Amino acid sequence: MQANLFDGDQPSSQAIKHPIGNAELLEYPQIFCRAKADQMLKTLIADIPWQQEHLKIAGKLRAIPRLQCWMGDSMSEYGYSGVRLSPQPWNETVKTIHERVADLSGSTFNSVLINFYRNGQDSVAWHADDEAELGAAPVIASVSLGAERIFELKQKHQVPAKKYKLSLRHASLLIMAGTMQQHWLHQLPKEKALAEARINLTFRNIVSD
Ligand SMILES: O=C(O)CCC(=O)C(=O)O
Ligand SMILES: [Mn+2]
């Protein structure tokens, strides 16, 4: 049967440029058809070696509210807030996603941080992806699979700080680039009533010294 162009399930290479001034924020609303994205979500939940990381907060070790996996080329060791992560080898589904992302963004990436939000109780707090090993103006390509979640941004240095909000949909790609990490923080807040899972893959390039 021929696909219906208007059935709302057409992967597209068209990007929406979000107007947030001094940084680059590009959204590709759907980069895979729904069936393929559904399959990828299932496969990744089952196959990725998920880890529960902990952070020391006020002297106590606390589990972070999501599961994670750091994946990439063997040299791409990565760290944040005192956590050191050695990369897992590339998984076939992640390689397929990387190829599509590289095609659309014109950039290749040597690593990816994969987050598994089991439901709306899982989240990531305000931060910028501004670790030294990502370089001064990193291109970060963020693919979402599963439950649609709100993604919030706020300016780091401005008073009052401007805020910006968007919805990250199943099979979408968001590219943060330019001075985004220098000037803005981002977070994925909890959505307590949400029961569905989401996976996010942020492709990154670790710069070696
Ligand atoms: O899940 C998301 O959309 C964002 C994840 C994120 O910001 C990160 O892993 O650094
Ligand atoms: Mn981030």
Side-chain angles (χ1 to χ4, degrees), residues 32-48:
F32 298 111
C33 71
R34 212 170 290 134
K36 184 161 184 174
D38 290 351
Q39 187 54 50
M40 287 172 160
L41 175 67
K42 257 199 204 154
T43 309
L44 292 178
I45 289 176
D47 292 354
I48 296 292

Side-chain angles (χ1 to χ4, degrees), residues 51-128:
Q51 298 200 345
Q52 174 67 70
E53 304 292 348
H54 293 79
L55 283 182
K56 214 173 212 179
I57 300 167
K60 278 195 176 164
L61 267 194
R62 289 183 194 273
I64 65 170
R66 59 194 179 278
L67 301 181
Q68 287 191 319
C69 176
W70 179 245
M71 189 174 284
D73 298 350
S74 54
M75 295 313 288
S76 59
E77 189 170 287
Y78 184 60
Y80 66 92
S81 307
V83 178
R84 291 306 308 173
L85 298 171
S86 287
Q88 293 287 326
W90 290 100
N91 153 294
E92 285 308 312
T93 303
V94 176
K95 275 196 213 166
T96 306
I97 299 172
H98 179 236
E99 271 167 33
R100 178 80 174 122
V101 166
D103 235 30
L104 290 168
S105 67
S107 306
T108 55
F109 300 90
N110 60 14
S111 51
V112 56
L113 179 62
I114 315 177
N115 285 309
F116 179 21
Y117 304 91
R118 292 155 289 187
N119 53 44
Q121 303 284 345
D122 279 351
S123 59
V124 65
W126 288 117
H127 69 282

Side-chain angles (χ1 to χ4, degrees), residues 113 115 117 124 127 129 151 168 186 188 198 200 202 204:
L113 179 62
N115 285 309
Y117 304 91
V124 65
H127 69 282
D129 299 324
F151 185 73
L168 296 181
H186 53 270
L188 192 91
R198 168 177 184 267
N200 175 260
T202 47
R204 299 150 188 250

